[in-house]
């Protein structure tokens, strides 16, 4: 029978052996990386100039070298970086090169991978290749995927034919319950115009209280529509936003509609919510007026600097100093009229932060 001392002895040796294996593994990985660096540098030095010459349309008299099996993935990554850095004819030339090099086979294989990054890379590559044969598979990803899958499938379909796929893409984006709108604003920005045309022809509807299930779906579509329009920086007519700026709207819908408001009509509709019971709405009103307001909104913003909530006061102070053609002394005098020391301190702090004089 093993004694406690013997057990501790063997545990110590096992721990030491495990630490030794970890150290050995790290050394092997470092050696492999050191061995790979010259090969990677040589690959980049060989292919990058050729891709640059191809992008600018230079006639390459000799055929391009064949890729070894281990070079296919690095070449795809280099090719994608080049695609992401150019527009217009250069992108089309790179697409023809990618097809000639057989990248569509690798892209399809990566798209079916169980690894997230490879799936996204595969869809990105298929779009840049403008491979129409991959359209059914991408449409399936658009319909069955979620969040990033939907966004990357949308990017690929729009690259292949934005005229044919803009409507389906817009519908999928509006219907996705958890969408990364920051990624949408980056990846789908080149198709702002076709997507904007589709969205403005399918404006959101204010949710009905009569059918709860239908209202929930309508609410999701409305919020996604508003957030998508903001991510794409669309100019939404006031007539479309007016029903969503009603006092009876829920907080999320109201805030997102205020963010999209613009023009004189938008200013009036936004100002109407300056006394809303929810401080988040009041803060958004103050923030919006800083961009779309004018001198006539100064008294309202001054009153908001005396709000009970810190964020409302902060946004109102920022907005007062953002209104064009207003001098700092005029703003300070206007806020002093509230006789609220917290309002005055907030504006003074903002003046100091911005360095206005």
């Amino acid at each position: 029978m093993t004694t406690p001392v013997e057990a501790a002895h063997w545990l110590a040796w096992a721990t030491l052996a495990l630490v030794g294996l970890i150290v050995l593994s790290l050394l092997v990985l470092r050696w492999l990386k050191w061995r790979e660096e010259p090969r990677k540098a040589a690959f980049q030095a060989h292919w990058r100039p050729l891709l640059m010459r191809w992008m600018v349309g230079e006639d390459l008299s000799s055929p391009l070298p064949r890729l070894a099996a281990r070079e296919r993935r690095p070449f795809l990554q280099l090719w994608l970086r080049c695609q992401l850095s150019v527009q217009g004819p250069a992108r089309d030339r790179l697409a023809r090169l990618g097809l000639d090099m057989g990248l569509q086979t690798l892209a399809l294989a990566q798209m079916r991978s169980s690894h997230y990054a490879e799936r996204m890379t595969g869809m990105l590559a298929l779009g840049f290749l403008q491979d129409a044969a991959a359209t059914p598979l991408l449409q399936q990803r658009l319909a069955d995927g979620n969040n990033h899958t939907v966004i990357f499938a949308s990017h690929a379909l729009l690259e292949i034919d934005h005229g044919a796929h803009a409507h389906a893409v817009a519908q999928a984006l509006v219907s996705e319950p958890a969408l990364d709108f920051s990624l949408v604003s980056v990846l789908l920005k080149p198709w702002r115009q076709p997507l904007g045309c589709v969205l403005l022809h399918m404006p959101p509807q204010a949710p009905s209280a009569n059918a709860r299930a239908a209202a929930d779906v309508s609410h999701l579509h409305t919020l996604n529509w508003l957030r998508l329009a903001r991510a794409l920086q669309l100019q939404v007519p006031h007539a479309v936003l007016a029903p969503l700026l009603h006092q009876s709207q829920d907080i999320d819908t109201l805030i997102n509609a205020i963010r999209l408001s613009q023009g004189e009509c938008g200013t009036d509709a936004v100002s109407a919510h300056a006394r809303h019971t929810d401080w988040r709405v009041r803060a958004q009103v103050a923030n919006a007026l800083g961009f779309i307001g004018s001198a006539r909104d100064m008294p309202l913003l001054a009153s908001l600097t005396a709000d009970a909530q810190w964020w409302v006061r902060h946004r109102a102070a920022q907005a007062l100093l953002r209104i064009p053609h207003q001098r700092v002394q005029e703003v300070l005098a206007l806020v002093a009229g509230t006789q609220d020391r917290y309002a005055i301190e907030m504006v003074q702090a903002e003046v100091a932060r911005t360095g206005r004089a």
Side-chain angles (χ1 to χ4, degrees):
M1 182 174 180
T2 305
T3 66
V5 174
E6 290 174 333
H9 177 78
W10 285 111
L11 181 60
W13 277 106
T15 304
L16 185 62
L18 181 60
V19 170
L21 284 174
I22 293 173
V23 172
L24 181 62
S25 300
L26 291 173
L27 289 173
V28 170
L29 288 173
R30 186 170 181 178
W31 177 77
L32 289 173
K33 183 179 179 181
W34 169 79
R35 185 185 177 191
E36 187 64 23
E37 284 301 324
R39 184 183 298 170
K40 186 185 296 185
F43 178 85
Q44 294 274 347
H46 176 71
W47 279 102
R48 189 181 293 275
L50 290 175
L51 288 174
M52 294 296 178
R53 291 167 61 190
W54 192 278
M55 281 191 291
V56 299
E58 185 177 331
D59 183 23
L60 299 177
S61 55
S62 58
L64 291 171
R66 293 180 61 84
L67 288 171
R70 61 181 172 79
E71 294 178 329
R72 290 172 62 79
R73 288 175 185 271
F75 180 80
L76 178 63
Q77 294 171 357
L78 179 60
W79 179 84
L80 279 174
R81 284 197 293 270
C82 291
Q83 280 281 17
L84 289 168
S85 65
V86 296
Q87 293 287 341
R91 181 169 284 183
D92 295 333
R93 285 192 285 269
L94 281 173
R96 291 196 299 271
L97 172 65
L99 291 171
D100 292 341
M101 301 293 288
L103 291 184
Q104 66 271 36
T105 304
L106 178 58
L108 284 168
Q110 290 202 339
M111 187 171 154
R112 296 187 177 98
S113 170
S114 59
H115 195 279
Y116 164 82
E118 288 192 351
R119 292 198 305 273
M120 301 306 112
T121 299
M123 285 188 283
L124 195 64
L126 287 172
F128 283 135
L129 287 167
Q130 301 175 15
D131 184 9
T135 297
L137 192 56
L138 290 167
Q139 288 173 328
Q140 182 183 352
R141 294 289 190 275
L142 185 70
D144 301 336
N146 53 33
N147 199 0
H148 290 176
T149 300
V150 170
I151 297 171
F152 277 88
S154 298
H155 179 277
L157 288 168
L158 292 171
E159 278 283 0
I160 292 170
D161 188 345
H162 65 262
H165 302 299
H167 190 273
V169 165
Q171 288 281 10
L173 293 172
V174 167
S175 302
E176 172 54 38
L179 203 62
D180 185 346
F181 289 97
S182 60
L183 183 61
V184 167
S185 66
V186 174
L187 274 188
L188 304 186
K189 184 179 179 180
W191 299 280
R192 176 174 171 267
Q193 183 175 357
L195 286 176
C197 290
V198 173
L199 287 171
L200 292 176
H201 281 87
M202 47 178 275
Q205 302 296 322
S208 169
N210 297 328
R212 269 330 307 167
D216 289 342
V217 174
S218 176
H219 182 241
L220 168 66
H221 286 198
T222 298
L223 280 179
N224 275 5
W225 192 99
L226 291 167
R227 289 166 178 162
L228 186 57
R230 187 163 183 258
L232 296 174
Q233 299 179 343
L234 301 181
Q235 292 188 350
V236 182
H238 179 70
V240 174
L241 291 176
L244 307 175
L245 289 166
H246 195 270
Q247 291 282 356
S248 61
Q249 284 296 335
D250 66 280
I251 303 303
D252 288 336
T253 300
L254 193 54
I255 287 175
N256 282 281
I258 289 172
R259 285 172 175 163
L260 283 171
S261 298
Q262 53 194 332
E264 188 173 345
C265 293
T267 305
D268 293 338
V270 167
S271 300
H273 299 286
R275 306 302 173 196
H276 197 279
T277 55
D278 194 297
W279 70 267
R280 294 171 295 174
V281 175
R282 300 197 303 273
Q284 190 57 55
V285 167
N287 186 64
L289 289 177
F291 293 98
I292 65 175
S294 60
R296 67 172 185 159
D297 300 299
M298 297 283 287
L300 176 59
L301 286 170
S303 69
L304 287 174
T305 61
D307 193 273
Q309 286 290 334
W310 185 91
W311 273 110
V312 179
R313 300 198 303 272
H314 179 57
R315 295 302 187 196
Q318 288 180 321
L320 279 169
L321 295 173
R322 205 178 283 136
I323 298 290
H325 313 304
Q326 302 299 316
R327 291 183 299 176
V328 170
Q329 294 306 318
E330 293 174 346
V331 172
L332 290 172
L334 185 62
V335 176
T338 64
Q339 298 182 344
D340 186 305
R341 72 181 182 91
Y342 296 109
I344 297 169
E345 288 174 359
M346 179 63 74
V347 176
Q348 289 174 338
E350 189 62 24
V351 169
R353 188 188 70 83
T354 57
R356 293 279 299 272

